[in-house]
Amino acid sequence: MDILETHAYHRRQRRNKSCALFLSLLPFFLSAALYFYLWTPDSPPSIMSAGVKSAPVLLLAAAVLSWNGGQSVLGVVGGLVFSAVGDCCLVWPELFLHGMGAFAVAHLLYSVSFLSSRYTKNSSSCWSRFLYLILFMVGGGYYTYLFSFLQKDPNSEVLTPAVGVYFVLITLMGVLAVRTGNIPTLLGSLSFMVSDVTLSLQVFKVVEPMQHGTTVVMVTYYLAQFLIAVGDMQAVEDTDDFSKWKRS
């Protein structure tokens, strides 16, 4: 096989993989579109609302599992499943702490996944260290700013430390996402932070209810989960390609 044939073969392989990836993610796109079409946030809490809200993330978990096999069960797949549990809990305001706990576990599982050998490590560059510093400063600074609002909550004795632990875990996830050097993973983690900050500003009454606040929260949230899932699929694919290159 000459160079031109080899190049054409690899190009066909990449095109086939891209088509397969799109088809595996199509159920996520359709279910997310259904969520925004039905737009259930203002309706009374119900099993149907919880199902419609959590369906896109569960379908993402299924796509990652089918693409990566069992490699991501205790990582991104597990994180997506716990995120879906959190989605269901947050439909009912009285289950807010349970939902936050589920998302905290999801961030922990994402962090474990980002530490795995599937992801390349990019911890030594100057821009990486700069981003680490920025994330820690922003995370710590925002929690400090939020502290006085948390103290006003009737359940502040539990809520204040719980939110603190949550911010530590999501900041850690962001730092480890930078460390991977995987662009979709990094952008997904940052988008998750934007979603959570927007949600906390409204839940803890830092700002007046925003007209399109819920839309911003959910768009950035689904985008974050999508990018983290794609990043994990990409990481496994890159590892497989490297293994094939070593054997050849």
Side-chain angles (χ1 to χ4, degrees), residues 12-192:
R12 284 196 301 273
Q13 288 289 94
R14 286 195 298 270
R15 185 167 60 247
N16 291 341
K17 284 183 178 179
S18 296
C19 290
L21 180 61
F22 174 77
L23 289 174
S24 67
L25 293 170
L26 187 58
F28 161 76
F29 293 126
L30 294 175
S31 59
L34 179 64
Y35 170 81
F36 288 110
Y37 176 74
L38 295 176
W39 197 237
T40 58
D42 296 327
S43 60
S46 66
I47 297 297
M48 190 196 81
S49 297
V52 171
K53 186 180 181 184
S54 61
V57 177
L58 287 174
L59 290 169
L60 266 183
V64 176
L65 186 63
S66 67
W67 192 270
N68 293 356
Q71 297 182 64
S72 300
V73 170
L74 293 178
V76 169
V77 171
L80 289 166
V81 171
F82 271 96
S83 294
V85 173
D87 286 334
C88 291
C89 290
L90 293 184
V91 169
W92 288 271
E94 63 271 21
L95 296 180
F96 178 81
L97 278 172
H98 298 79
M100 188 170 65
F103 279 113
V105 174
H107 296 319
L108 188 58
L109 288 170
Y110 289 153
S111 297
V112 169
S113 185
F114 299 162
L115 284 170
S116 70
S117 58
R118 296 197 308 275
Y119 290 85
T120 58
K121 305 302 181 287
N122 193 31
S123 57
S124 59
S125 66
C126 291
W127 77 271
S128 296
R129 288 194 290 268
F130 176 71
L131 275 178
Y132 297 161
L133 179 62
I134 292 295
L135 287 173
F136 281 124
M137 288 177 61
V138 170
Y142 183 70
Y143 178 72
T144 302
Y145 172 70
L146 206 60
F147 186 83
S148 61
F149 295 94
L150 294 172
Q151 291 295 295
K152 298 175 185 176
D153 192 278
N155 200 22
S156 63
E157 289 186 2
V158 176
L159 190 63
T160 302
V163 171
V165 171
Y166 183 85
F167 268 89
V168 168
L169 290 175
I170 194 171
T171 302
L172 176 64
M173 181 195 70
V175 167
L176 293 176
V178 174
R179 184 173 178 263
T180 65
N182 185 307
I183 298 301
T185 299
L186 171 58
L187 293 178
S189 298
L190 294 177
S191 184
F192 216 132

